[in-house]
Amino acid sequence: MPFLGLRELDRDAFMAVHHDPAQHLVFIKRYSLNYPSVAEIEQSFQRIDRALGAISRLRTLLLVDAREAPLRNDDAFEGAFVHCHTRLTQGFKKTAVILKSATGVLQLGRLSKGYTKPMGIFTRPEDALHHLGVHIDLKQLTDP
């Protein structure tokens, strides 16, 4: 079932990016495929950045569903992720990330300490949607 109001901007093996101009919402769905290299992380995030080029981040909310993302804590991955994720989330009006576990919440909380604007990190989708103030049928988060 497609998102009502959301249109797909880009997709690769790791993520899909959707935009709902009516709700000023960008939705990024992270898939379960592990990044095989730091270069792949950087390329994937660069694609997203290009896809979001025409969107006014100052007026737009960002929702990232990373519940399927594999947990990794090796230094090379964390360094690349922090650099790419910081650039991705920069400038959005408000950001919420949905993670599967408390371990993921702790890891992202640790990695995002230096961010200029705090983000909401949640394990329950309804809490993330409430944080952003958007109304989406939760079933739509499972298969955009």
Side-chain angles (χ1 to χ4, degrees), residues 51-111:
L52 298 177
I55 293 171
S56 169
R57 293 182 185 214
L58 292 174
R59 296 182 354 203
T60 304
L61 306 165
L62 175 62
L63 175 61
V64 178
D65 183 350
R67 289 177 288 178
E68 293 181 22
L71 285 176
R72 286 186 61 179
N73 64 356
D74 54 282
D75 290 341
F77 167 78
E78 285 192 352
F81 176 81
V82 167
H83 172 74
C84 293
H85 197 258
T86 301
R87 192 175 67 234
L88 169 68
T89 59
Q90 221 168 22
F92 280 97
K93 182 178 177 179
K94 204 176 219 184
T95 300
V97 179
I98 309 167
L99 298 168
K100 186 188 307 186
S101 68
T103 303
V105 170
L106 289 172
Q107 181 182 23
L108 185 56
R110 178 175 54 81
L111 294 175

